[in-house]
Amino acid sequence: MFFIAPTAVSFAQTSATAAQGQDSTLMVIKHRNGLSELDTPAAVSVVEGDDLRHSTAQVNLSESLGSVPGLQIQNRQNYAQDLQLSVRGFGSRSMYGVRGVRIYVDGIPATMPDGQGQTSNIDINSIGKVEVLRGPYSALYGNASGGVVNIDTTTGSQPTTLEAGTYFGSYGTWRNSVKASGATGDGTQAGDVNYTISGSRFTTHGFRDHSGTQKSLGNGKLGVRLDDVSTLTLMFNSVSVDANDPGGLSEAEYKANPKQSPRGDQYNTRKSLDQTQIGLRYQRQMSDNDELTLTTWHGERHTTQYQSIPYATQQNAAYPGGVIVLERKYQGIDTRWKHDDQLGSMPVSLIAGLDYETMTERRQGFQNYNLVNNVPQFGEKGDQRRNEKNTMWNLDPYLQTSWQLSSAWTLDAGLRYSTVSFDSTDYYITQGNGDDSGSARYHKLLPMGSINYAVTDAWNLYASAGRGFETPTINELSYRSTSGSETGLNLGLKPATSDTFEIGSKTRIGYGLLTTAIFQTNTDNELVVDKSQYGRAVYKNAGETRRRGLELGFDQQFAQDWRLKMAWTLLDATYRNETCSASGSCTPAGNRLPGIARNMGYASLEYAPESGWHAGADIRYLSSIQADDANDAQAPSYAVTSLNTGYRFNWSRWSLDLFGRVDNLFDRQYVGSVIVNEGNGRYFEPAPGRNWGGGATLAYQF
């Protein structure tokens, strides 16, 4: 029997694995056929941490998640804006960070209460596995319509292991890392401790001009068994980023010189980010049939960003300047109770919980210049132009049940009631800039259900349906116009509501898995970019949209050391009615949603024995992507190929893995990502041509 828990903090291992202090996972699973992906009645993909680290730079999740159907994840070559990540087209409109997809790391949301997430604090060096959930089940996680990305970091075990790694490559790229993990005892006795501590430093000059970056990242997890029935886990994470922002290019600029950054050089656009968070998870087996999980966390995030705002535009008294300074404090608590029982001969499970998250943001704006002899010197913080305090919180009770109707049939159902609140207090009130305080609150009941039929022990069929919910983020509420002529929160925005229907098939073939999913999502009040200009975006509700598609995945291990992965996604995402902006321009029904590829393909072949030579190759294909609602600008389709090879030495307690790789082997010039509806037509963020890298990882087990 399988069912998805309504929170990433799920804990349902067998007593043996629980005693060893294994991590919580996205899915509450009772193993029946050995592969969690096989029996889960939803489109879900699991990527192991070792696969993420094999012959890669270990800098971006985009390096190794191409095998996940339905997931469009791209490195923007801009560490000031994070990765561009979308699931089934949700999240493609995001100017920066991750939107429409919930992200968890060890049960702690990397997504804020308003739905805005980021990946910069994810330490690939300590990942145990990544689970990507797509479709109706995302409704059980609240403010996300596309899906959920859950990341579990490794839990320390015996023997104690020390590891050091390095990577170097094109464009002055370096990454150095260290990691220590271990445990006292086997995790079954009171006082047994496990730990994993990891740290890394990444620097690059960048493929494009004005795209240099420095990033320091630390991650730690410490677990202790308190007694026979309870464990306590402490989690710590810290990240610091200083990144230049090269910005987007027009089509003419891209064709003339894809490396250039004219606005970045002129305005010295850049971003600095510092974030530290701590979390605590308590798990207790209350009885043979009941268990309690309580997770709490607190974090602080400080951001300063310099934008490319023209001098004349910044003169508008209502314009909030060209430098954004954010100070955020966020915290939350998630309490969950799980009960297993039996109704006659029918096993039944019930989960009930309450999730509360809150964030306080102090947002300030300053001019991006100082005058010297009446000449603006850009890239310097000038006079204040904005000062406000924003608070947001969500309170979500949830309930889910799973019924094992027979040996072949399983029925799951769940419900979450989500309340999201925004409040803004304006402290910058001057002539020409009035009081822009305001508030908004959104409520939505989110049901879902699924039925799973086990045709054989190796073949499952399922059908599921659910309702998703997306509120505007605080960034999407922040502006009413790009010109600054209208100030204050864009409180006219409504939350988007999505109804998703999905059927799927999962078949185990030898040592592999073949998955198929067919889905359709109908969305009302879709949140889309109205206009993006001068470093900021204004949003609107687009009425009705529809996403429908097909996902195929195949993961097969054969001949002991060989592995083949293949994935293909067909996604038709269109406007279903005419949508007009405040300026009077209209998007006709039938136009494609921008930022979304209609076809994605991936294939890789890998030879990876435990020692000796290893090698691999992969190819990625992305069809053309519309850059704007009018569908009159697009990034062309492309296919790129990568190769890697290396040698792994094992000597007693020592191991050394050396590798080298070449990306974009055939030196294709292509657009890696687009900035949706960029008002100046600067949609394109170029990807690098042929580039290389190599590295080494040295480990010692005590």
Side-chain angles (χ1 to χ4, degrees):
M1 178 175 67
F2 286 69
F3 58 95
I4 305 294
T7 171
V9 192
S10 306
F11 182 74
Q13 295 100 356
T14 64
S15 58
T17 57
Q20 296 169 5
Q22 295 296 316
D23 295 329
S24 62
T25 62
L26 180 73
M27 292 154 290
V28 178
I29 295 172
K30 292 183 179 178
H31 293 278
R32 182 174 65 196
N33 291 313
L35 285 174
S36 64
E37 291 173 272
L38 175 64
D39 293 294
T40 304
V44 61
S45 300
V46 180
V47 181
E48 299 297 329
D50 288 342
D51 294 335
L52 295 173
R53 289 182 287 272
H54 182 68
S55 298
T56 64
Q58 300 182 42
V59 176
N60 301 294
L61 288 174
S62 57
E63 298 164 8
S64 305
L65 292 183
S67 61
V68 177
L71 175 65
Q72 184 177 312
I73 180 169
Q74 296 160 285
N75 182 356
R76 307 177 67 171
Q77 306 300 316
N78 184 346
Y79 291 92
Q81 305 297 342
D82 214 337
L83 298 177
Q84 193 173 74
L85 184 154
S86 65
V87 174
R88 294 184 175 176
F90 288 97
S92 60
R93 71 177 183 270
S94 181
M95 296 296 103
Y96 65 92
V98 179
R99 185 69 185 94
V101 180
R102 295 284 289 179
I103 301 176
Y104 292 88
V105 181
D106 286 331
I108 298 176
T111 302
M112 295 296 103
D114 62 344
Q116 183 77 43
Q118 46 87 31
T119 64
S120 58
N121 68 320
I122 296 174
D123 177 31
I124 296 177
N125 195 39
S126 59
I127 289 179
K129 63 181 173 182
V130 177
E131 298 167 317
V132 182
L133 173 68
R134 311 176 294 283
Y137 270 102
S138 62
L140 295 179
Y141 295 82
N143 196 359
S145 293
V148 179
V149 176
N150 181 66
I151 296 171
D152 284 331
T153 63
T154 56
T155 296
S157 59
Q158 295 180 334
T160 299
T161 303
L162 295 179
E163 186 178 288
T166 187
Y167 175 88
F168 57 94
S170 300
Y171 319 118
T173 299
W174 283 89
R175 179 186 178 275
N176 297 303
S177 64
V178 293
K179 182 171 70 174
S181 64
T184 62
D186 60 3
T188 62
Q189 304 298 318
D192 285 352
V193 173
N194 64 79
Y195 60 90
T196 301
I197 303 173
S198 176
S200 65
R201 173 72 170 174
F202 166 71
T203 61
T204 183
H205 300 324
F207 155 65
R208 295 182 58 193
D209 298 340
H210 201 80
S211 62
T213 300
Q214 300 179 11
K215 177 180 178 180
S216 299
L217 178 61
N219 196 76
K221 185 164 68 174
L222 174 67
V224 58
R225 175 159 289 283
L226 301 177
D227 51 42
D228 291 343
V229 294
S230 61
T231 61
L232 188 67
T233 305
L234 175 69
M235 296 154 288
F236 172 82
N237 180 270
S238 180
V239 62
S240 177
V241 180
D242 289 298
N244 289 327
D245 185 349
L249 298 178
S250 68
E251 184 176 6
E253 290 171 334
Y254 164 68
K255 290 181 177 179
N257 178 11
K259 292 186 176 183
Q260 66 177 308
S261 174
R263 270 72 59 188
D265 292 335
Q266 179 183 1
Y267 295 95
N268 193 14
T269 51
R270 62 194 188 274
K271 183 178 181 180
S272 63
L273 178 155
D274 293 281
Q275 176 178 296
T276 300
Q277 72 178 28
I278 189 169
L280 195 65
R281 181 171 67 239
Y282 175 73
Q283 298 169 309
R284 184 175 184 87
Q285 193 75 33
M286 306 298 291
S287 69
D288 290 342
N289 297 327
D290 297 273
E291 57 188 28
L292 173 71
T293 302
L294 188 150
T295 303
T296 185
W297 62 91
H298 173 82
E300 298 188 7
R301 183 179 178 93
H302 304 273
T303 304
T304 301
Q305 183 175 5
Y306 287 74
Q307 300 176 304
S308 56
I309 312 298
Y311 174 71
T313 302
Q314 294 188 60
Q315 301 312 295
N316 186 332
Y319 204 82
V323 179
I324 300 174
V325 177
L326 300 177
E327 296 183 6
R328 289 178 167 178
K329 295 182 180 180
Y330 58 94
Q331 49 273 317
I333 184 169
D334 191 1
T335 304
R336 184 180 64 84
W337 168 70
K338 178 176 180 288
H339 176 71
D340 291 320
D341 212 329
Q342 200 148 335
L343 189 62
S345 61
M346 184 187 304
V348 177
S349 293
L350 180 69
I351 288 178
L354 183 66
D355 176 31
Y356 175 70
E357 302 172 30
T358 181
M359 182 176 78
T360 301
E361 172 192 270
R362 194 60 180 260
R363 178 182 290 258
Q364 299 182 77
F366 300 86
Q367 294 173 341
N368 182 13
Y369 67 86
N370 279 315
L371 291 176
V372 178
N373 298 323
N374 290 322
V375 177
Q377 305 297 309
F378 295 111
E380 299 178 6
K381 187 168 73 172
D383 296 337
Q384 188 174 58
R385 301 294 296 278
R386 185 174 191 172
N387 185 6
E388 66 193 34
K389 180 181 180 180
N390 301 312
T391 59
M392 58 211 77
W393 55 264
N394 72 270
L395 180 65
D396 292 22
Y398 54 83
L399 182 68
Q400 186 178 353
T401 184
S402 181
W403 298 67
Q404 184 74 49
L405 303 178
S406 70
S407 59
W409 291 93
T410 304
L411 175 66
D412 289 16
L415 200 63
R416 185 177 183 120
Y417 186 75
S418 188
T419 300
V420 182
S421 177
F422 300 86
D423 184 78
S424 179
T425 303
D426 189 0
Y427 297 108
Y428 185 79
I429 304 172
T430 64
Q431 185 175 0
N433 191 325
D435 188 349
D436 297 323
S437 302
S439 62
R441 185 169 296 180
Y442 310 105
H443 308 272
K444 187 62 65 174
L445 185 66
L446 307 174
M448 63 73 52
S450 74
I451 187 77
N452 187 80
Y453 176 63
V455 181
T456 69
D457 286 343
W459 181 20
N460 283 343
L461 301 174
Y462 71 89
S464 62
R467 172 162 291 179
F469 172 62
E470 273 191 90
T471 68
T473 69
I474 189 61
N475 292 305
E476 292 168 347
L477 289 169
S478 292
Y479 306 109
R480 296 182 186 175
S481 73
T482 57
S483 66
S485 58
E486 298 178 67
T487 62
L489 295 177
N490 190 4
L491 296 178
L493 289 177
K494 301 175 183 178
T497 303
S498 300
D499 293 317
T500 299
F501 308 91
E502 177 181 309
I503 58 174
S505 171
K506 303 183 180 185
T507 307
R508 187 171 63 210
I509 302 174
Y511 294 101
L513 190 67
L514 173 65
T515 62
T516 305
I518 301 173
F519 63 89
Q520 178 167 310
T521 301
N522 300 315
T523 303
D524 290 327
N525 295 316
E526 176 94 34
L527 288 159
V528 300
V529 178
D530 187 10
K531 190 176 183 181
S532 175
Q533 196 171 28
Y534 305 134
R536 64 202 64 228
V538 175
Y539 292 81
K540 65 181 178 183
N541 291 108
E544 297 180 3
T545 63
R546 184 184 67 194
R547 296 168 173 84
R548 58 183 180 182
L550 169 66
E551 297 171 350
L552 298 174
F554 184 57
D555 187 347
Q556 178 70 56
Q557 184 172 345
F558 58 96
Q560 190 172 357
D561 297 322
W562 290 86
R563 188 172 186 181
L564 174 68
K565 290 185 178 182
M566 302 177 70
W568 179 60
T569 303
L570 170 65
L571 178 57
D572 178 44
T574 58
Y575 289 99
R576 303 308 298 162
N577 59 358
E578 185 178 62
T579 302
C580 299
S581 66
S583 64
S585 62
C586 294
T587 301
N591 271 24
R592 288 171 55 189
L593 290 173
I596 302 171
R598 183 177 174 84
N599 283 279
M600 290 189 296
Y602 174 87
S604 68
L605 180 64
E606 180 182 65
Y607 174 67
E610 292 186 1
S611 62
W613 287 106
H614 56 79
D618 67 69
I619 183 169
R620 307 181 187 210
Y621 169 77
L622 210 66
S623 65
S624 62
I625 295 176
Q626 300 298 327
D628 62 352
D629 287 333
N631 288 184
D632 56 10
Q634 67 177 17
S637 62
Y638 66 85
V640 292
T641 303
S642 300
L643 298 177
N644 69 80
T645 188
Y647 197 93
R648 183 177 179 88
F649 301 88
N650 291 315
W651 311 291
S652 183
R653 299 177 181 269
W654 291 90
S655 69
L656 174 64
D657 188 11
L658 303 171
F659 74 92
R661 62 178 300 114
V662 178
D663 292 296
N664 194 358
L665 178 65
F666 300 106
D667 200 24
R668 289 288 307 274
Q669 180 175 322
Y670 67 100
V671 175
S673 58
V674 299
I675 304 172
V676 171
N677 286 343
E678 210 285 330
N680 296 296
R682 301 165 187 154
Y683 307 113
F684 305 113
E685 295 180 298
R690 184 187 300 115
N691 61 96
W692 61 272
T697 301
L698 179 66
Y700 179 76
Q701 292 185 338
F702 289 86

